[in-house]
Amino acid sequence: MKKKILWITRTAVMLALLVVVQYVTSFIPKPAQQYITGSCVNAVLAVAVLMSGFWSGAAVATVSPFVAFLFGIGPQLLPIVPAIAVGNLVFVGALHLIHGSAPKLLGKVLAWLGAALGKFAALYLLVVQLLCRVLPLKQLQIDTFTAMFSLPQLITALIGGGIAILIIPVLKKAVK
């Protein structure tokens, strides 16, 4: 029972942090907003999964794009929101699986790189290669989504995952 309460508390704290991060970064001007918000969100996702396990990370990963949609950050096209949730789930899933299955330093580096590449690939395939082809979009929207869901996704996942991996040892000491 105590473990379940601890898990719920940690997950709630990560969800609250996610909402605060997305709200605060919603005021950043658009050109930089994706990089700052995306990096911060990926850091929160990574901390959630590495501190509290897959299901905590999955909960935060799933809620994140819907909160972003409500705050008006990210694409304001509802069919893309679940695709972002899938990309986030790939990120936390890869981080969880690879991080726990390899030696310490190698495992952290492989998890970080694998999760970032996985998220980038999932979002590129789902949004750019699938949704941009099947949704009735104007060329400007296609160009915008292609720009948003390509290299910036890899960059923000690398930054956010890297930040999390650096601060996790400190956080683990602090919560003991």
Side-chain angles (χ1 to χ4, degrees), residues 42 44-50 52-62 84-102 107-108 110-120 122 157:
N42 283 313
V44 172
L45 297 177
V47 168
V49 72
L50 295 175
S52 300
F54 173 74
W55 292 110
S56 180
V60 178
T62 304
I84 299 168
V86 170
N88 287 347
L89 286 168
V90 168
F91 182 71
V92 299
L95 203 50
H96 177 71
L97 288 173
I98 302 168
H99 191 269
S101 66
K108 289 176 184 178
L110 290 176
W112 172 46
L113 297 175
L117 286 169
K119 180 175 182 172
F120 159 72

Side-chain angles (χ1 to χ4, degrees), residues 39 42-43 46 91 95 112 156-168:
S39 298
N42 283 313
F91 182 71
L95 203 50
W112 172 46
T156 59
L158 285 169
I159 292 169
I163 289 168
I165 286 176
L166 290 173
I167 66 170
I168 285 292

Side-chain angles (χ1 to χ4, degrees), residues 62-82:
T62 304
V63 170
S64 173
F66 293 95
V67 172
F69 182 80
L70 292 174
F71 285 148
I73 53 179
Q76 292 300 294
L77 187 63
L78 197 53
I80 292 181
V81 176

